Structure formats: structure tokens, C-alpha cells
Amino acid sequence: MNKVPLFLCLFLFISNFFSPSLSEKCNPQDKKVLLQIKKALNNPYLLASWDPKTDCCDWYCLECDLKTHRVIALTMFSDDRLTGQIPAQVGDLPYLETLLFRHLPNLNGTIQPSIAKLKNLKTLRLSWTNLSGPVPDFLSQLKNLTFLDLSFNNLSGSIPSSLSKLPNLLALHLDRNKLTGSIPESLGRFKGNVPDLYLSHNKLTGTIPASLGNLDFNTIDFSRNLLEGDASMLFGSNKTTWQIDISRNMFQFNLSKVEIPKSLSRLDLNHNKIFGSLPQALTGAELQFLNVSYNRMCGQIPVGGQLQSFDYSTYFHNRCLCGAPLESCK
């Protein structure tokens, strides 16, 4: 068998060592954009590995496609030393599928408009930051989005009705902001997937649109807002809903007339004005968590299922609920 001459091996080693660009996989345009992003963020320590002399596909906080070597994920998180705004250059990474800025308390400004150019984006997670301004309408242009998380920010204004135009959305997190106005009627008209809706800890007002009753949501969390009126349309015996949390609002409806999904695992209605009695159908649900305290309900707590496994705090501060685990009915 022929042997490679020693001098040739040495030459190849030296060439690769001193000329890393010969074997670099990173797309040159992507690399240029990434270095612009680093500069726009004032060269944070989080991006210390972003050395122009090395292959960008080896840098931290990003991922390249194994075949095309284009940048498909940019993920920055957990660094209170990173300051400034989301750089406009993020929109110049055309193959990006995941964009994440999370747990960055000194990231400020508004949601960058250039994100609208990222037509391949599937996951957009801008959470636990100091971002402010509105939830932008342009997000509805990102038709491939499956996960949109804008929670734990300082976003204000109303919820754009256009978000229902996202056909592949599986989860929408707008919780823990300062959003106002009503829940758009359009959120009951999602076509394709029906996303989990997290709108809690805002300042939303008005009633729940009747259109939401037409969809089979897996998870609904409208807790800690200023919502009122009837929320019974969220229930239904033919639905596969897993969680409903409408606690700490001003809802007022007759719970005894509500049809309970057998799939319901978590139900939180505390601190409302809900009246009537507890439906017998609750005994057939797969409940792991229940809280109906601080309402206006009466009657005996149905016996069976998981209802007696919860303690008194699940039921207390109602008008006249009785039976285990509360005092027996007279």
C-alpha cells in the first residue's frame, strides 16, 4: 500500500492550521451579518466565541443546517450584561427558523420590524426582556410560525386581530405584559391548528368573543385580567380541552349549565362572580387541579371522581357550597 509522503502530511497540516477558511462551512454572507449583530449589541461577552477568524457554524448561540450550513437558529438567553435593542440585521438571516432572545433584562426597544423578512421562521421567542411598544401586526406575515412567545415583557396596546392568520401556530404566549382592550373576535377563527392561548396577567377588558366557543382549544389561560360576562362557551362535552384558567376576573355565569369535557385536567375559576352549582360531570373529568373558591356558588359538592381529594381551599368563600371537604349539607 502506498504511503503519503511525510512532507505532504506536514504541508496539509500547516495549511489547515493557518488557513481555517479553506475548510470553513459557514456561509460568508451569514457570517458578515452575524458580526454586524455582534457589533450592534456592543460585543457582549455572551458572543465572545464569535471570532471572525473561526467558522461561524462553531460559534455559540447559533445553529447551522447540517447540509446547507446556513444559519437556522439564533438563540441568546440568560445574560443581564447584554444591553441595547434587537439588531435590525437579524432580518438578514433568510434561512432562520428559530429566533430567541430570552431572559435578557436589559434588552429594550420595540420588536424589530425586520423580523418580518424571516419567512422561514417557525419559533419566535422574545420573552423575559424589557421590550416595550405594541405587539406588531407584521407578525401575521410569518406564515410558518408554530410557536410565538412574547411573554414577560412590557408590551402594551391591543392584541392584533391578524394573528389568527397564522395557520400553523400551536401556541401563542402574550401573558405577563400590559396589554389592554378586548380579546379579538378573530382569535376564534384560526384555520388549521388551534393554538394554546396564554393571555394572562394583562389588563384586557370586555367579554370573551362567542367565536372562541367554536374551537377546541387544548389550553386557555385568561387569568388575572379585567374580563367579564359569560365564559361558558369555552366548555363543551365534545371538546378535548386540557386546561381552562379564567381566574381573577369578573366573569358571571351559571356553572351548573356548563358541559364539562372529560379530558379536563386543570380548572381554575377562583375570584370571579360565577354562580350555580358544581356540575355532576366534574366527577367524570380527569381533574388534577381544581379551584372554584371566591365565587357565588351553592349546593352540594358532587361525590365521586377527584372532587373529594381536594382540600377545603378549593371550594371555600362561596355563597353556600357544602359537602365534603366542606361542612356537610343541612
Side-chain angles (χ1 to χ4, degrees), residues 106-169:
N106 292 312
L107 185 72
N108 53 45
T110 59
I111 296 176
Q112 177 55 244
S114 67
I115 290 174
K117 297 191 292 182
L118 301 174
K119 303 304 181 183
N120 291 305
L121 205 61
K122 296 179 181 178
T123 297
L124 178 59
R125 193 166 194 175
L126 311 175
S127 61
W128 296 84
T129 75
N130 200 28
L131 291 174
S132 58
V135 176
D137 189 68
F138 64 71
L139 295 175
S140 63
Q141 301 173 30
L142 304 175
K143 302 301 184 183
N144 288 309
L145 270 188
T146 60
F147 189 85
L148 176 57
D149 181 5
L150 305 178
S151 63
F152 289 87
N153 290 301
N154 289 309
L155 301 177
S156 58
S158 58
I159 299 172
S161 60
S162 59
L163 293 180
S164 63
K165 297 178 181 179
L166 296 171
N168 298 301
L169 200 61

Side-chain angles (χ1 to χ4, degrees), residues 59-70:
W59 294 351
Y60 293 154
C61 302
L62 60 84
E63 178 185 351
C64 291
D65 183 88
L66 294 177
K67 293 182 179 179
T68 65
H69 308 299
R70 300 302 299 258

